[in-house]
Amino acid sequence: MRIVDVNGFYAQAGGGVRRYVDAKFLAAEARGHWLSVIAPGERDGRQARPGGEVRWIASPPMPLDPRYRRFADRRAVLTAVDAARPDIVEASSPWTSAAITASWPGTKALVFHQDVVAAYGHTALDRLLPRPMIDAMALPWWARLRRLARRFDVTIAGGDWLADRLRAHGLANARAVPFGLEPGGFGPHRRDPALRAGLLTRCGVAPDGALLLAVSRFHPEKRLPTIIDAFARVRRLRGDLGLVIVGDGLARRGVERAVRRTSGVALLGRIDDRPTLARIVASADLFVHGSAAETYGLAVAEALASGLTVVCPDYGGAADLATASRSRLYRAGDVRNCAQAIIDALAGGARPAASAPRGLDDHFADLFAGYEALITPAR
């Protein structure tokens, strides 16, 4: 099977999308498929990869983040698609990638990674308005998305929660293919007592204290101030707690303001080295999460695989993972309720783990099998 991924967010300096696509190359090679990723780059070019290639299309940089670029030449993208002779074409965002790919005449998949209404609308307003009302305010977006999805054979969602939302808003071809974890990376065996003691010391807490952890982009949808303010409430009752936060991003100033008014918190910044991150996660005692708009909740899955109890919102893809595992759920954005969930989890009031999160290889196996089923009638 020859697969083309028109991917507007693949970049050499990228993060999660780059790691995912690089893993997809290896999965394609292992199964005898061929993958061509068409991505916006500084100049035109081709780069060989295991299991395929990257075709760079010369494109201008994004105004707010020059690490990324945006497709500006529709004809060049479609010419690259035709040259790859694909059996199926993916559009890896509902924006320019999908708008260009929709006109290609063959079998197509719209790969949907983020619910922008949940990420932005719910985050901003769900403490003031019911979520169905916020969704109703976004009717033009849902109408546009329905029109777009009808031009594709399938809409792939990275988790069950997101697929359910898409179907509820009229995308009848939505199918869940949940993400998964890279093999061997995260697990309880990564726990490092010396590292744990050092992290507690950075928080100003004795080494025999309890270590809480958050791993997240610094973005409003991640609601890190909710976590920090809830932690501050709990720490007034228990002074032996430390909170370590891994990540960085555009909402850094807001996170730093919340940290300045809270003792016992240490910011570690962004950590790209996966083994180091796995050791940090496994060395914590409790994982706390703020986003109620996760497609899947990769950071939550990594924490669960590391043997941690998770405290997370009761809505979104992360809640799907946590509900089936060791967890305490709280009302999204509710500081007091989050604090109570932390107290209950520290007291041992979490459900036992049902099973380990699925692996990334399972995700790709399901994804490719679904594509093969789509193209078989056309062969």
Side-chain angles (χ1 to χ4, degrees), residues 117-132:
V117 178
Y120 295 94
H122 290 181
T123 299
L125 299 172
D126 66 4
R127 280 157 289 180
L128 304 173
L129 300 172
R131 292 191 190 103

Side-chain angles (χ1 to χ4, degrees), residues 355-368:
S355 60
R358 78 192 228 133
L360 192 57
D361 194 60
D362 297 322
H363 164 77
F364 288 126
D366 290 348
L367 182 71
F368 294 151

Side-chain angles (χ1 to χ4, degrees), residues 3-27:
I3 306 163
V4 167
D5 177 1
V6 180
N7 196 318
F9 291 104
Y10 184 78
Q12 294 282 28
V17 172
R18 179 182 58 79
R19 284 201 310 272
Y20 173 81
V21 172
D22 288 349
K24 187 159 68 171
F25 275 119
L26 297 176

Side-chain angles (χ1 to χ4, degrees), residues 179-233:
F179 294 144
L181 295 181
E182 299 168 77
F186 289 79
H189 63 287
R190 301 284 186 182
R191 190 172 180 87
D192 183 336
L195 173 62
R196 179 181 179 280
L199 292 172
L200 283 165
T201 299
R202 289 187 63 168
C203 296
V205 176
D208 60 351
L211 181 63
L212 281 62
L213 173 69
V215 179
S216 174
R217 284 185 299 119
F218 289 7
H219 188 280
E221 75 167 271
K222 302 301 183 179
R223 307 196 202 211
L224 284 166
T226 297
I227 291 172
I228 296 165
D229 291 346
F231 170 78
R233 284 177 172 268

Side-chain angles (χ1 to χ4, degrees), residues 4-374:
V4 167
D5 177 1
V6 180
N7 196 318
F9 291 104
Y10 184 78
Q12 294 282 28
V17 172
R18 179 182 58 79
R19 284 201 310 272
Y20 173 81
V21 172
D22 288 349
K24 187 159 68 171
F25 275 119
L26 297 176
E29 181 184 42
R31 291 169 174 79
H33 304 310
W34 186 87
L35 172 66
S36 177
V37 174
I38 298 173
E42 184 177 356
R43 59 182 64 88
D44 291 334
R46 297 175 66 171
Q47 187 177 20
R49 293 293 177 85
E53 66 176 9
V54 179
R55 293 195 176 204
W56 300 104
I57 305 295
S59 305
M62 290 277 198
L64 298 179
D65 191 344
R67 293 178 304 164
Y68 297 92
R69 294 176 176 268
R70 58 182 180 85
F71 289 124
D73 189 337
R74 177 178 178 275
R75 184 184 297 274
V77 174
L78 290 176
T79 298
V81 171
D82 287 334
R85 297 180 291 110
D87 294 304
I88 187 167
V89 176
E90 301 173 307
S92 288
S93 88
W95 306 108
T96 306
S97 298
I100 294 173
T101 305
S103 63
W104 191 74
T107 304
K108 300 182 291 292
L110 174 59
V111 181
F112 201 86
H113 286 291
Q114 184 191 50
D115 178 349
V116 296
V117 178
Y120 295 94
H122 290 181
T123 299
L125 299 172
D126 66 4
R127 280 157 289 180
L128 304 173
L129 300 172
R131 292 191 190 103
M133 185 179 294
I134 301 168
D135 287 340
M137 293 164 62
L139 284 179
W141 158 253
W142 294 116
R144 174 194 175 277
L145 192 58
R146 285 193 295 272
R147 289 193 300 270
L148 184 64
R150 283 195 290 268
R151 302 176 69 184
F152 288 79
D153 297 275
V154 65
T155 298
I156 300 294
D160 293 314
W161 168 81
L162 182 55
D164 289 343
R165 265 183 65 75
L166 293 176
R167 286 190 290 265
H169 286 283
L171 278 73
N173 67 349
R175 175 180 172 233
V177 184
F179 294 144
L181 295 181
E182 299 168 77
F186 289 79
H189 63 287
R190 301 284 186 182
R191 190 172 180 87
D192 183 336
L195 173 62
R196 179 181 179 280
L199 292 172
L200 283 165
T201 299
R202 289 187 63 168
C203 296
V205 176
D208 60 351
L211 181 63
L212 281 62
L213 173 69
V215 179
S216 174
R217 284 185 299 119
F218 289 7
H219 188 280
E221 75 167 271
K222 302 301 183 179
R223 307 196 202 211
L224 284 166
T226 297
I227 291 172
I228 296 165
D229 291 346
F231 170 78
R233 284 177 172 268
V234 179
R235 200 166 191 272
R236 286 197 286 268
L237 303 175
R238 286 190 53 173
D240 64 336
L241 304 182
L243 170 64
V244 166
I245 301 175
V246 175
D248 205 345
L250 59 87
R252 183 175 182 84
R253 288 187 179 180
V255 174
E256 288 176 337
R257 280 196 300 271
V259 169
R260 281 195 296 269
R261 62 176 181 259
T262 307
S263 61
V265 183
L267 297 178
L268 299 191
R270 176 173 165 169
I271 296 176
D272 291 322
D273 183 76
R274 303 293 284 170
T276 298
L277 180 60
R279 288 171 54 230
I280 291 171
V281 175
S283 300
D285 299 304
L286 184 68
F287 189 87
V288 287
H289 195 66
S291 175
E294 298 286 8
T295 299
Y296 173 69
L298 186 59
V300 171
E302 290 167 349
L304 292 169
S306 301
L308 301 190
T309 294
V310 166
V311 171
C312 79
D314 57 359
Y315 191 74
D320 280 353
L321 281 172
T323 299
S325 304
R326 265 202 306 266
S327 66
R328 291 292 301 185
L329 303 181
Y330 65 90
R331 288 186 298 275
D334 188 321
V335 171
R336 290 188 179 186
N337 202 232
C338 180
Q340 187 59 54
I342 292 172
I343 291 169
D344 291 345
L346 290 170
R351 297 163 49 128
S355 60
R358 78 192 228 133
L360 192 57
D361 194 60
D362 297 322
H363 164 77
F364 288 126
D366 290 348
L367 182 71
F368 294 151
Y371 287 168
E372 288 181 307
L374 277 176

